[in-house]
């Protein structure tokens, strides 16, 4: 049974993804977050919850032992967090990482100039891409709560197509990547809905 460590499990995308994985897969999930008490009404079947900070190397490594996939959904000092995650993966031997970034980090969105607000996403993605782990960077558009799975993918070096994307769509792509170990390894993927603007 595939085991997934979800870093930043209190985030809105991570919560939707947790529910989606529980409903559509048999994965065992470890939810890793600061102040685990924020997670309420969580069914504990197939779930373990760890109260920890990604910057706490010892706690992170303990949580990572025995996992098959690390899914990171972070904010704040993302470059330092990415460095800590990769270091922990080297120590524990976990190879598969799904890392959430943002559209626009390569200046790839037509009609939109690069903004410094993207620096944490760009810098952390660069850390991940420079590693030799089996990573996939996801660059979603603006999140929506639309109850749909509807998305298109663009690859690094291609213009980003679309703009908005449902959290459920991102969760579906995360699930597919986790189910197929060699799917999109070493790639940075844009993801947006088919029917959103800039198509």
């Amino acid at each position: 049974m595939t085991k997934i460590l979800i870093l930043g499990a209190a985030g809105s995308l991570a919560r939707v993804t947790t529910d989606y994985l529980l409903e559509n897969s048999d994965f065992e999930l470890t939810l890793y977050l600061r102040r685990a008490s924020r997670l309420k009404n969580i069914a504990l079947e197939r779930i373990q919850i760890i109260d920890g900070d990604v910057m706490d190397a010892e706690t992170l490594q303990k949580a990572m032992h025995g996992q098959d996939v690390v899914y990171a959904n972070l904010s704040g000092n993302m470059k330092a967090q990415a460095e800590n995650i990769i270091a922990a993966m080297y120590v524990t031997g976990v190879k598969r990482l799904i890392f959430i970034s943002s559209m626009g980090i390569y200046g790839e969105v037509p009609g939109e100039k690069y903004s410094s607000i993207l620096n944490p996403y760009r810098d952390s993605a660069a850390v991940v891409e420079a590693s030799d782990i089996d990573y996939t960077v996801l660059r979603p558009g603006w999140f929506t709560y639309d109850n749909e799975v509807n998305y298109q993918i663009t690859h690094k070096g291609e213009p980003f197509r679309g703009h908005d994307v449902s959290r459920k769509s991102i969760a579906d792509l995360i699930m597919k990547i986790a189910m197929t170990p060699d799917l999109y390894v070493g790639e940075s993927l844009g993801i947006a809905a088919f029917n959103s603007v800039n198509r």
Side-chain angles (χ1 to χ4, degrees):
M1 186 176 295
T2 300
K3 296 183 177 181
I4 300 183
L5 174 63
I6 300 179
L7 304 178
S12 65
L13 173 58
R15 289 182 189 227
V16 170
T17 301
T18 296
D19 291 341
Y20 194 81
L21 295 178
L22 290 173
E23 291 169 7
N24 296 282
S25 77
D26 62 356
F27 296 162
E28 290 184 358
L29 310 180
T30 299
L31 309 183
Y32 188 98
L33 69 159
R34 291 174 294 182
R35 299 191 305 279
S37 60
R38 289 182 290 172
L39 293 183
K40 303 191 184 304
N41 302 319
I42 293 286
L44 293 180
E45 184 179 356
R46 293 165 46 207
I47 286 183
Q48 177 186 8
I49 300 175
I50 296 178
D51 198 321
D53 191 311
V54 169
M55 296 308 297
D56 181 342
E58 182 178 356
T59 303
L60 180 61
Q61 289 172 23
K62 286 180 180 177
M64 206 173 280
H65 274 292
Q67 301 290 336
D68 299 300
V69 179
V70 176
Y71 153 46
N73 191 124
L74 306 169
S75 61
N77 188 349
M78 294 177 64
K79 180 181 179 183
Q81 291 171 337
E83 291 169 343
N84 227 37
I85 291 166
I86 290 166
M89 293 180 74
Y90 286 148
V91 168
T92 59
V94 180
K95 292 292 291 181
R96 195 68 174 102
L97 173 64
I98 302 169
F99 192 89
I100 303 297
S101 185
S102 171
M103 68 175 182
I105 61 171
Y106 310 121
E108 78 280 17
V109 180
E112 293 189 15
K113 292 183 178 179
Y114 182 87
S115 168
S116 61
I117 197 170
L118 293 170
N119 287 353
Y121 299 95
R122 180 198 62 191
D123 295 346
S124 57
V127 168
V128 172
E129 290 175 303
S131 74
D132 61 359
I133 60 172
D134 295 339
Y135 70 82
T136 305
V137 173
L138 297 184
R139 295 175 281 112
W142 293 107
F143 300 165
T144 75
Y145 280 109
D146 293 346
N147 186 27
E148 64 177 13
V149 174
N150 163 38
Y151 59 92
Q152 59 187 322
I153 288 172
T154 50
H155 298 267
K156 186 176 181 179
E158 298 176 344
F160 190 92
R161 294 194 304 271
H163 196 275
D164 298 344
V165 64
S166 71
R167 289 167 173 83
K168 198 169 184 178
S169 293
I170 304 168
D172 184 75
L173 181 56
I174 290 167
M175 183 181 72
K176 287 178 179 175
I177 293 170
M179 283 179 166
T180 311
D182 59 351
L183 183 64
Y184 301 127
V185 168
E187 294 199 51
S188 176
L189 305 176
I191 174 173
F194 273 111
N195 59 356
S196 59
V197 297
N198 293 337
R199 196 169 47 168

